[in-house]
Amino acid sequence: MVQNLIGGFQGIVDHALVGHFVGFAGNAGIGVAIQIFIVVIVFMMSVFSGMGVLVARFAGANDPEQVNRTVYQAFLAAVALWACVLAPLGWILAPTLLGVVHATPAVQAQALPFLRLMFVGSLGMLLFFMVSGALRAAGDARTPMVLGLLLTALNIVFNVVFITGLGPFPRMGTAGAAVGTTVASLIVASFAAYLLFSGRLSVTWHRGMDLRPDWRVIRALFRFGLPTGLQGIAMNVAGVMLLRFIGSLPQSAEAQAAYAVGYTELFSFITWTSVGLMSAAATVAGQNLGAGRPDRSVLGVRVAAGLGLCLAAAIGILFLTLDGFLFRGPFGLKDPVVVGLGVQLLRFLSLSGLFVTVALTYTGGLQGTGDTRSPLVISIISQIVVPLGLCTVLQSMRPLTPADIWTAILFGHITRCTLSVLRFRQGKWRTIRVDGAPALT
C-alpha cells in the first residue's frame, strides 16, 4: 500500500508538469495513451499473475527451489513477450490504437510519441513488476517497497529533466514523461537483478541454475495467468471504450482531460493502494492454502477489505472537500469546463471507491488461491456489459452527457464488488490444485 500510494505521485508529477508546460491537450494525450498502454501491458504481465499463484503456494509448502525456478521461467517468458510482441507491434499499431478512442488531432499529436516510447521502453517496467510480484508472493513486501520508492524517485527526477528540458537536456514535453519512465525503470530493474543474484532475498538465482526453458512451468504460468491477463484486458478495454464515449461528447478534449486527471490519477490513490491490498490478500490466501489453513485465507481477505474501506472513505472525503483545488492547484488546469467536469467526476468516484476496494481485495483472494477464471467473468460483466451497455442504451435515447458516463462507471464498480464477494464466499477455491504443492480435497 505504501509503495503504491507513493508511486501514485509519479503520475501526478507527470500530469502536473505537462499541464503547466503543454496544456490540457497534453494531459488528455497522456491519459488516452496510458489507457491504451495498460490494456496491452496487463496482458503481457499475466504471466506474473500465474507466477504469483505458484510462488505463494510453493512458499506456503516450504519449497524454495520451486519458488526460484518459477520466477526464472517467468523472466524468460517476459523477455520473449517484450521482444517478439510488445515492442515491435506496439510501435507499429500505436496510431491505429489512438484512432479507436476518437482523440482529437491535438490530443493524438501529444499521445503518439508518448505511447510508442512506452511500448519500446517497457522492458524495465516488466522486470520490475516481475521481481516485485515474486518477492511479495514469497512473503517479502519490504524489498518491493524499497524498489518501488527508488523507481518513483528516479522517475520524478528524470521526468522533470526531460519534460521541462532542465540543464543541457532537450525539452521533450509529453514524450519526456515516457523517456523518464523508461530510464528509471531500466535502472531499477538492473538493481533488482543484482539483488536476485546476491543471495540476500527470499527469491535467489545462482550461476549453476538450469537456464533452459521449462515448458511445464511456463504452461502453468499461463494456465493461471492468462485468465488474469484477459481480465485486465477486459477492464481496460472498457476504459478505452469509455474514452470513445467521452470522445463523442461536444467538449471531448476537456472531458478526456478531466477523466485523465480525475480517474487515472486522483482515483489511483484508491485503486493503487487497493491493488496493494489485493496483492497482500492474494499472498496470504495462497500461502495459507498451500499450508493447509484455508480459514486463515478467508480471514486475510476480510481484514484486507476492512482496511481498504477505511482508506477509500478517507480519500473520498478529500475528493468532496478539495474538489476544484485538486485540478487547479497541482495540475495547473485553469479551464473552467475541465475543472467543472473534474469536480463532477470526483463526486461519483468518492462513492465508487468504496466498492472498488472491496472488489479488488476479494479478487486478490480468488486469484491468490488459483481461481483466476472467476474474476475474468466478473470483469466482463461489470466492466464491459454494465457500463458500456448503459452508455449505449442512453446514447440511443438521447445525446450522452458526462454524468451518464460517470454513472456507468459507478454501476460497474458496484456490480464487480457484489459478484466478487459472492463468488469468494462460495469457497470453490479451496479445492484448486497446483502441481507440486498441496491442496485441500
Side-chain angles (χ1 to χ4, degrees):
M1 287 177 63
V2 172
Q3 173 190 341
N4 289 337
L5 184 63
I6 295 177
F9 283 106
Q10 170 190 319
I12 287 179
V13 170
D14 289 355
H15 273 283
L17 291 172
V18 169
H20 283 286
F21 286 91
V22 179
F24 71 81
N27 293 115
I30 287 182
V32 168
I34 283 293
Q35 190 70 62
I36 294 172
F37 178 72
I38 290 175
V39 171
V40 180
I41 200 74
V42 161
F43 181 76
M44 296 294 112
M45 288 171 55
S46 63
V47 65
F48 304 150
S49 300
M51 175 195 70
V53 173
L54 297 176
V55 168
R57 193 71 70 89
F58 290 137
N62 195 27
D63 190 345
E65 191 57 38
Q66 283 283 57
V67 168
N68 298 334
R69 186 169 184 78
T70 298
V71 176
Y72 177 73
Q73 296 302 316
F75 164 77
L76 294 180
V79 172
L81 287 171
W82 171 79
C84 300
V85 180
L86 186 58
L89 292 184
W91 182 276
I92 294 170
L93 297 177
T96 303
L97 295 172
L98 287 171
V100 172
V101 299
H102 287 169
T104 64
V107 172
Q108 289 198 38
Q110 297 294 331
L112 181 58
F114 176 89
L115 184 58
R116 279 179 159 169
L117 289 170
M118 288 296 290
F119 278 133
V120 173
S122 59
L123 178 61
M125 187 181 302
L126 284 172
L127 297 182
F128 165 74
F129 282 121
M130 182 203 75
V131 175
S132 297
L135 292 175
R136 280 194 294 266
D140 177 6
R142 293 183 179 180
T143 302
M145 181 183 71
V146 173
L147 292 175
L149 296 180
L150 177 61
L151 175 62
T152 300
L154 291 176
N155 211 329
I156 290 174
V157 170
F158 286 125
N159 285 356
V160 170
V161 168
F162 289 112
I163 292 175
T164 65
L166 191 64
F169 296 94
R171 179 173 170 175
M172 301 179 68
T174 306
V179 175
T181 298
T182 298
V183 174
S185 60
L186 285 173
I187 292 174
V188 174
S190 300
F191 179 59
Y194 161 76
L195 290 178
L196 288 176
F197 282 103
S198 70
R200 291 180 288 179
L201 301 179
S202 54
V203 178
T204 302
W205 291 350
H206 51 84
R207 299 184 184 277
M209 290 179 62
D210 185 354
L211 302 181
R212 295 171 299 178
D214 185 331
W215 297 110
R216 181 184 64 84
V217 175
I218 292 175
R219 282 194 299 270
L221 293 175
F222 283 100
R223 172 194 164 198
F224 290 107
L226 277 180
T228 301
L230 294 174
Q231 175 196 351
I233 289 178
M235 292 169 56
N236 289 285
V237 162
V240 171
M241 296 308 295
L242 281 175
L243 281 172
R244 186 178 177 89
F245 281 114
I246 295 172
S248 68
L249 297 172
Q251 296 169 309
S252 61
E254 291 84 352
Q256 285 177 334
Y259 179 86
V261 172
Y263 191 81
T264 64
E265 296 303 328
L266 294 176
F267 193 56
S268 69
F269 282 104
I270 294 177
T271 57
W272 281 111
T273 49
S274 297
V275 166
L277 286 169
M278 179 179 75
S279 176
T283 298
V284 171
Q287 287 189 357
N288 280 288
L289 188 59
R293 304 182 68 180
D295 291 341
R296 285 179 58 85
S297 300
V298 175
L299 179 60
V301 172
R302 288 177 179 172
V303 171
L307 291 172
L309 279 173
C310 293
L311 179 67
I315 296 176
I317 291 172
L318 292 178
F319 285 171
L320 295 175
T321 54
L322 297 178
D323 51 45
F325 168 77
L326 294 174
F327 290 87
R328 290 188 293 266
F331 298 99
L333 296 174
K334 307 299 183 183
D335 187 286
V337 176
V338 175
V339 175
L341 290 174
V343 170
Q344 183 188 60
L345 173 59
L346 288 185
R347 291 171 182 167
F348 283 86
L349 295 181
S350 63
L351 177 59
S352 193
L354 301 174
F355 296 97
V356 164
T357 192
V358 174
L360 287 175
T361 51
Y362 275 84
T363 295
L366 290 168
Q367 292 176 341
T369 55
D371 184 1
T372 55
R373 295 182 181 179
S374 295
L376 168 61
V377 176
I378 291 171
S379 292
I380 291 174
I381 295 171
S382 62
Q383 305 301 118
I384 294 181
V385 176
V386 172
L388 300 185
L390 180 58
C391 287
T392 301
V393 171
L394 292 176
Q395 192 176 52
S396 68
M397 299 168 59
R398 55 173 173 76
L400 273 179
T401 66
D404 294 332
I405 299 174
W406 313 153
T407 301
I409 293 172
L410 173 59
F411 282 1
H413 290 158
I414 293 173
T415 303
R416 186 180 181 192
C417 174
T418 303
L419 296 179
S420 298
V421 172
L422 291 176
R423 181 59 177 173
F424 185 81
R425 287 183 175 178
Q426 285 182 331
K428 294 185 177 181
W429 47 268
R430 295 171 182 260
T431 60
I432 296 175
R433 182 175 297 280
V434 170
D435 292 340
L440 299 183
T441 56

